[in-house]
Amino acid sequence: LGGGLPGGLGGLPLSHSRAVFISMLPPNISYEELCSAVGEYGPLESVKIIPDKRHGFVNFVDPADALQLMASTGQQVPLRGKPTLLQWGKARPVPNDLLQAIRTGATRSIYVCNVPEGASEAALTAVFSPYGELESVRMVPKKRAAFANYTCVASAIQARERLHGRARPAPFAEAAAAEAASGVPGSGKPLLINFTSSQQNCMRARNGRPPPWHGGAYFERPAKGRGWGGGRGRGFFGGGRGGPSSYGG
């Protein structure tokens, strides 16, 4: 399997890849654990775990962020307290329609408003899992809101297209009925969904500490005045060379 950068940063052609291959993952590792370990270095287009082989494939949006991960970690990240080797992988270029969506603000994470009071994480998962594999979900009860983090940007786009501005789906029915009966202000409002930064979520999981080296780090934020819409993309996008082929690229 194609290796990393021989002689430190000597293998510069490989730095044009946006894909990182991870072998010998800890048994039964979760997507949330893997994304928390690598996602703070830049926006991820997709992540895939092959449980029976204990392999992981991580595709960044920007190859510069993949290089930042490899250079600042020494090609190892701690997973469950043990250093785990990173290698360069190979990813196909981001499809043009997906690339355009990313440039206008799409990420793999969405923030959901008007979640019924008392809704459970199980109900949240039931609402959003039909649109793709979820990395994690998190309720924000005091704000009647939630986060849903997918393993790829395309799934988050599909979820937003299907659910934004729509009536609350069936898994929320019981909580929505209880909310309406109790006279909670604003009950019955449709779901409002916007893209948010999974990279910042990863940093919060690490107590807000930035990567060891974060020059040029990129954080997706909705542009001021843009409301429930897109932000801006940046940087260089494209496929890479060398190393194991990456899923979902």
Side-chain angles (χ1 to χ4, degrees), residues 62-121:
D62 192 330
D65 294 326
L67 178 60
Q68 179 180 319
L69 166 66
M70 300 292 265
S72 58
T73 63
Q75 297 185 217
Q76 294 186 47
V77 292
L79 291 171
R80 296 187 181 172
K82 295 183 178 180
T84 304
L85 180 65
L86 307 177
Q87 300 180 64
W88 286 106
K90 182 179 179 180
R92 296 183 294 273
V94 181
N96 288 334
D97 56 344
L98 180 58
L99 178 59
Q100 184 58 37
I102 291 171
R103 283 175 170 166
T104 56
T107 71
R108 64 185 182 86
S109 297
I110 53 178
Y111 181 72
V112 188
C113 286
N114 297 331
V115 174
E117 189 174 77
S120 66
E121 284 195 358

Side-chain angles (χ1 to χ4, degrees), residues 75-238:
Q75 297 185 217
Q76 294 186 47
V77 292
L79 291 171
R80 296 187 181 172
K82 295 183 178 180
T84 304
L85 180 65
L86 307 177
Q87 300 180 64
W88 286 106
K90 182 179 179 180
R92 296 183 294 273
V94 181
N96 288 334
D97 56 344
L98 180 58
L99 178 59
Q100 184 58 37
I102 291 171
R103 283 175 170 166
T104 56
T107 71
R108 64 185 182 86
S109 297
I110 53 178
Y111 181 72
V112 188
C113 286
N114 297 331
V115 174
E117 189 174 77
S120 66
E121 284 195 358
L124 183 66
T125 299
V127 168
F128 289 100
S129 60
Y131 304 102
E133 194 160 20
L134 288 163
E135 174 223 311
S136 60
V137 296
R138 180 165 64 87
M139 304 293 296
V140 189
K142 291 183 179 180
K143 295 186 177 181
R144 293 170 55 213
F147 291 94
N149 301 312
Y150 285 93
T151 60
C152 69
V153 176
S155 295
I157 292 172
Q158 185 179 17
R160 187 178 186 274
E161 288 176 348
R162 299 289 183 86
L163 297 174
H164 176 63
R166 307 292 176 85
R168 293 159 168 178
F172 284 153
E174 183 177 347
E179 180 185 71
S182 63
V184 174
S187 62
K189 287 185 177 180
L191 298 179
L192 295 179
I193 300 174
N194 195 24
F195 296 108
T196 187
S197 172
S198 53
Q199 182 184 2
Q200 288 185 354
N201 293 341
C202 291
M203 289 186 66
R204 291 190 193 104
R206 299 170 67 91
N207 298 318
R209 290 180 287 108
W213 177 83
H214 60 290
Y218 171 64
F219 301 89
E220 309 102 339
R221 295 187 181 93
K224 291 183 179 179
R226 297 285 287 274
W228 292 94
R232 296 176 182 173
R234 71 96 155 125
F236 170 86
F237 302 87

